[in-house]
């Protein structure tokens, strides 16, 4: 393995006084840079999925607080604390399911409080330093997931994935795709089947794009084709990401993941969930405690403004579903591969 796994796309970058994102909303047609100069810019970028994927949302939110610290004209700590907390509240409410968002905000707020006696200048520096540390930390966690999962992706493996848990969902090489990139870098032949991932097509638009850019063979299928692909022997294993993993191993991921997990069980295929420890929520005992985002009905009725359902059709649009832990073969994390019983292996990993 090369010491640094190659990364072809850069999801986000701090530009001295603003956060630059690769705007994912029009991928693969365009990927223009999007400069966020205010907290509201960052909030809107997260809400509208210009930046998406649990770890990337967390990193972006951390930089959102760095912007808030700059924006604030407070001359003392109580004033600055108020402004940081208001900004954290705005960012926290942008999307509810990915726990990395709150995790990153709490980390930055704690770093600010730790140096509060030093005054606003010191706090502003600490906030930016912590946001940068979260960014670097995420890159390192992705690499660790890649190495931990390498042995799960043998030569010739055909991997099914859902949504995008790749480089564009993180600051690094991704979570679910990290073992794929590691296997590819190690010279193994590995091919990916990407579920298109209705309604916003993260699989077709983003996963297919970044894998093609990386030279990893990828075949896009409609979500409804995964069962047939398994039945026809076209898939060896499933690798997906997660937005929040409860203490018992139930986890939320992009809507449609649960169906894939049930199909994998029926076909006797390993079903792996790759995520950094920052995606585990020790405060959620099981999947019932995970908040599930519901999004605008027009995402289901239309695509990029082109309607394909009656404009007033009733729609239900949960952005995520919860897969019970019993369908998970193992969690691939930056602390290694966690196997059942998950209550114990997760507690041990989080406690370490
Ligand atoms: O709505 P999205 O695109 O943010 O959903 C993303 C997912 O469901 C990913 O699988 C998850 O966040 C893990 S990303 C490493």
């Amino acid at each position: 393995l090369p010491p640094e796994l190659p990364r072809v796309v850069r999801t986000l970058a701090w530009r001295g006084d603003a956060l630059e994102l690769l705007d994912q909303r029009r991928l693969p047609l365009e990927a223009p840079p999007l400069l966020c100069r205010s907290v509201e810019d960052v909030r809107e970028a997260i809400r509208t999925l210009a930046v998406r994927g649990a770890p990337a949302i967390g990193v972006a939110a951390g930089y959102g607080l760095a912007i808030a610290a700059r924006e604030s004209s407070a001359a003392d700590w109580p004033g600055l604390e108020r402004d940081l907390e208001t900004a954290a509240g705005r960012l926290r409410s942008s999307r509810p399911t990915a726990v990395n968002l709150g995790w990153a905000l709490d980390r930055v707020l704690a770093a600010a409080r730790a140096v509060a006696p030093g005054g606003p200048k010191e706090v502003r520096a600490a906030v930016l330093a912590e946001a940068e540390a979260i960014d670097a930390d995420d890159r390192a966690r992705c690499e660790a997931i890649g190495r931990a999962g390498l042995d799960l992706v043998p030569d010739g493996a055909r991997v099914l994935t859902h949504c995008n848990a790749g480089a564009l969902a993180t600051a690094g090489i991704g979570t679910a795709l990290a073992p794929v990139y590691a296997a590819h870098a190690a010279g193994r032949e590995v091919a990916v089947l990407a579920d298109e991932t209705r309604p916003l097509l993260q699989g077709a638009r983003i996963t297919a794009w970044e894998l093609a850019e990386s030279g990893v063979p990828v075949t896009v299928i409609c979500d409804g084709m995964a069962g047939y692909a398994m039945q026809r022997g076209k898939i060896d294993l499933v690798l997906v990401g997660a937005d929040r993993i409860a203490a018992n191993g139930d986890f939320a991921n992009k809507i449609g993941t649960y169906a894939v997990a049930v199909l994998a069980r029926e076909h006797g295929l390993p079903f792996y969930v790759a995520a950094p420890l920052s995606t585990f929520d020790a405060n959620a005992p099981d999947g019932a405690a995970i908040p599930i985002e519901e999004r605008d009905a027009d995402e289901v009725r239309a695509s990029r403004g082109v309607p394909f359902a009656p404009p007033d059709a009733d729609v239900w649009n949960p952005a995520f579903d919860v897969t019970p832990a019993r369908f998970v073969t193992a969690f691939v994390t930056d602390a290694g591969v966690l196997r059942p019983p998950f209550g114990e292996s997760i507690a041990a990993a989080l406690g370490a």
Side-chain angles (χ1 to χ4, degrees):
L1 268 187
E4 275 259 311
L5 291 169
R7 187 172 55 126
V8 290
V9 293
R10 189 162 181 88
T11 308
L12 38 70
W14 180 250
R15 294 289 181 221
D17 59 354
L19 173 63
E20 185 180 304
L21 302 172
L22 183 158
D23 187 344
Q24 301 187 30
R25 289 172 293 195
R26 287 188 55 79
L27 274 174
L29 306 177
E30 310 176 282
L34 175 69
L35 212 54
C36 299
R37 297 181 187 281
S38 68
V39 173
E40 287 308 308
D41 287 350
V42 177
R43 182 177 197 275
E44 198 56 12
I46 295 173
R47 199 184 63 76
T48 60
L49 275 49
V51 60
R52 28 72 46 206
I57 292 171
V59 176
Y63 284 123
L65 283 186
I67 293 172
R70 291 177 58 95
E71 273 181 347
S72 168
S73 54
D76 58 11
W77 164 245
L80 185 50
E81 184 181 34
R82 225 175 8 253
D83 289 345
L84 286 174
E85 275 175 359
T86 302
R90 292 293 295 159
L91 294 164
R92 211 182 288 275
S93 65
S94 57
R95 294 193 78 189
T97 301
V99 73
N100 306 62
L101 175 58
W103 171 86
L105 291 169
D106 290 341
R107 225 179 109 162
V108 175
L109 289 175
R113 287 195 185 102
V115 301
K121 195 167 170 227
E122 209 165 304
V123 170
R124 288 187 174 92
V127 165
L128 177 57
E130 193 64 13
E132 286 175 329
I134 290 171
D135 186 349
D137 181 57
D138 189 55
R139 273 178 271 142
R141 287 175 193 260
C142 289
E143 296 249 337
I145 290 169
R147 289 171 207 284
L150 178 61
D151 288 344
L152 306 176
V153 184
D155 195 29
R158 295 155 310 164
V159 179
L160 176 71
T161 193
H162 191 76
C163 194
N164 173 264
L168 281 161
T170 66
I173 57 163
T175 60
L177 295 188
V180 169
Y181 288 130
H184 182 72
R188 295 181 194 169
E189 282 208 18
V190 48
V192 173
L193 262 80
D195 276 346
E196 63 172 351
T197 317
R198 282 278 297 145
L200 295 179
L201 305 176
Q202 286 92 333
R205 295 191 304 109
I206 303 175
T207 297
W209 183 76
E210 74 161 78
L211 285 171
E213 293 284 306
S214 309
V216 177
V218 55
T219 303
V220 179
I221 60 172
C222 300
D223 294 349
M225 296 172 187
Y228 187 52
M230 290 182 188
Q231 202 178 46
R232 292 289 303 268
K234 290 182 180 296
I235 295 168
D236 300 307
L237 64 134
V238 180
L239 255 169
V240 296
D243 285 81
R244 190 184 297 238
I245 303 167
N248 74 340
D250 295 351
F251 76 99
N253 191 48
K254 179 55 56 193
I255 189 76
T257 301
Y258 171 50
V260 175
V262 175
L263 283 168
R265 171 61 51 86
E266 170 67 15
H267 291 278
L269 298 175
F271 181 88
Y272 299 114
V273 180
L277 293 184
S278 50
T279 300
F280 288 77
D281 182 359
N283 296 319
D286 57 35
I290 301 177
I292 298 296
E293 175 183 16
E294 297 204 9
R295 293 183 63 87
D296 198 286
D298 281 339
E299 291 183 350
V300 175
R301 292 190 196 115
S303 186
R304 287 191 174 136
V306 181
F308 41 64
D312 55 354
D314 277 342
V315 161
W316 182 43
N317 187 18
F320 302 96
D321 58 25
V322 176
T323 300
R326 67 176 185 281
F327 291 103
V328 178
T329 307
F331 290 97
V332 187
T333 77
D334 43 319
V337 177
L338 312 184
R339 304 247 174 211
F342 291 125
E344 287 168 29
S345 55
I346 291 172
L350 294 183

